[in-house]
Amino acid sequence: MSKIEISIEEYENLIDSHKQLQALEHGGVDNWEGFDFAMDEYREIKREEEKLDSLVEDILEVCSEDVDINPAGPGTGVALMVDKRVLAKMISDWKKS
């Protein structure tokens, strides 16, 4: 299982948000006018986030193909050789999707 680290404040905000959501659900929020519209908007945002995450992963994969560790000697960093046309096409395809 992967782990992440968040601040106590962020954790408490997430717990509070979860409690608010539970209260709304128990109050019948799913029967309110506009609920379906709001959920459709939420799902669209999630789809866009997933597409963007996928694009970033693809870009990182392309960037890691031609990595030169310590190009100017030990401790000098990393050089990435990236074909700009490949990245431009990936971004263009992402925008079209």
Side-chain angles (χ1 to χ4, degrees):
M1 174 178 18
S2 298
K3 295 183 180 186
I4 61 168
E5 186 175 316
I6 60 173
S7 68
I8 291 174
E9 180 181 0
E10 181 66 17
Y11 172 77
E12 289 170 348
N13 286 338
L14 290 170
I15 296 296
D16 187 56
S17 293
H18 180 70
K19 288 177 182 177
Q20 288 178 7
L21 176 60
Q22 284 182 318
L24 289 168
E25 288 174 344
H26 290 293
V29 72
D30 55 329
N31 294 321
W32 294 355
E33 187 177 326
F35 177 80
D36 291 333
F37 174 77
M39 293 309 297
D40 288 344
E41 289 291 310
Y42 171 76
R43 284 188 281 275
E44 181 61 28
I45 289 169
K46 292 297 287 180
R47 277 192 293 274
E48 289 298 317
E49 287 175 350
E50 289 169 1
K51 285 179 9 184
L52 184 57
D53 287 346
S54 178
L55 174 65
V56 169
E57 287 176 17
D58 291 346
I59 288 173
L60 290 174
E61 185 177 321
V62 167
C63 290
S64 66
E65 290 173 357
D66 293 318
V67 176
D68 184 8
I69 305 295
N70 299 318
T76 58
V78 177
L80 299 176
M81 306 302 180
V82 179
D83 186 335
K84 292 179 184 176
R85 292 171 298 198
V86 171
L87 289 179
K89 180 166 178 10
M90 291 170 68
I91 293 168
S92 175
D93 290 348
W94 174 76
K95 286 181 179 179
K96 291 177 187 175
S97 65

